[in-house]
Amino acid sequence: MAKACYIHIPFCESICSYCDFCKVFYREDLAASYLERLEQEIKQKYQGEVFDTLYFGGGTPSSLSPSLLKRLFSLCSLFSLAPSCEITMEANIESLTEEKIKMMKEFGVNRVSLGMETTVSSLQQVLGRPFSKESFEKTCSLLRKYGISNINVDLMYALPFETMEDLKTDLDFLCSLQVPHISTYSLILEEHTKLKIQKIKPIAEELDLAMYQEIEKRLKQEGYQHYEISNFSKEGYLSRHNLTYWKNEEYYGFGLGAASYLFPYRRGNTKSLTKYLQGEFSFSEEKVLREDAMDYEVMLGLRLMKGIDKKAFQKKYGVCLSSVYDYSSLVEKKVLKETSSFVALKQEYYYVLNEVIIAFLDRKRETVANKCF
Ligand SMILES: C[S@@+](CC[C@H](N)C(=O)[O-])C[C@H]1O[C@@H](n2cnc3c(N)ncnc32)[C@H](O)[C@@H]1O
Ligand code: SF4
């Protein structure tokens, strides 16, 4: 079966105040050595499977200079890519030049994910990400000029000091862009970030919820399908790569801090650039029991508005979902809705997804579950 592949490019030209991702300041010499090691890691681990999706994430992959971008694409010739492979690259508008877009198009990149976060200048200052709306529009136009119209935009909300009016300003701009996919992120104040060190307080939970509801209402009005708890898409533009994760399917992860899931192993790479550059790629390995794989299936499947695919579950594990988990009371209480094919979260409970997941997993039928293994 075709698999997904994630490649981590950990370089950024500036570091945002909220970011906890695995990243370092861009330096051409470090990036060049990194790509050499990346090639070595791929040669060591890749077993030749066909990839249905390829995703360059970061950090900021578009921060690579044109010559290193060329190098990155040429090392991807090691892969066997399906003819219809979805190839996504994360980018930000500061580093995405016309020259790089041309190279991306030539290589086959057919989806670009742009971090917008917010257009309100006082909030941009808090995040450390200033840019003008005009430059953002210009980048979208350039991508379309080169035939890359499958664009995702990341929107952050629940930012320190953000008001509902600020969010509406961002949504107005976002909708005017007419991009086919939008990912939304409620700010998480992560340890060791500038915002956390500055002891910035989160906004009130009620406002966070009201913002989530506003986003959902507005994007639905604009014709977006809310298909995953934080993701919206126009018809036919669901993120195929991210669906691999949410459907608990297998994927390779190469590069600093990258994770992979090749059943029965979940593996993680080192987050130390020094170690990675010394050729010490791997950091952790966990053997996933079938029982745990089923729990993952539930946790991830409930993120999808369509829900957990009961037939796929039965096919993968040889048992039906309801014989492993007794979730009937959650259906009776109208927390979940069930059809012959899916079990899904009801819209009123999207905001408390984690609590529902805990309740679902708590209802594991120990005796039946044990029989499955
Ligand atoms: C890998 S990052 C983005 C790629 C690219 N470097 C950029 O910043 O545009 C993916 C997205 O995660 C979101 N994100 C990052 N840190 C976050 C945090 N602490 N809380 C909520 N969302 C966050 C942002 O929306 C960001 O665009
Ligand atoms: S949010 Fe993106 S650009 Fe900012 S530091 Fe993190 S990875 Fe880099």
Side-chain angles (χ1 to χ4, degrees), residues 16 38 62 109 163 178-180 220 267 276 284 306 347:
C16 308
L38 185 65
S62 60
V109 171
T163 63
Q178 296 281 322
V179 291
K220 272 191 181 160
R267 298 188 177 93
Y276 193 87
S284 62
K306 223 172 162 186
Q347 188 176 1

Side-chain angles (χ1 to χ4, degrees), residues 61-111:
S62 60
S63 67
L64 293 177
S65 63
S67 62
L68 291 184
L69 201 57
K70 191 169 167 203
R71 175 95 189 80
L72 172 67
F73 292 150
S74 75
L75 68 85
C76 289
S77 62
L78 291 166
F79 298 134
S80 197
L81 302 180
S84 61
C85 190
E86 176 191 88
I87 306 181
T88 307
M89 179 169 275
E90 283 179 358
N92 61 22
I93 57 163
E94 294 80 9
S95 57
L96 195 55
T97 60
E98 186 159 4
E99 183 185 10
K100 291 183 194 175
I101 294 175
K102 257 192 228 170
M103 293 170 67
M104 285 156 60
K105 179 67 187 172
E106 271 165 31
F107 169 69
V109 171
N110 47 31
R111 186 170 183 273

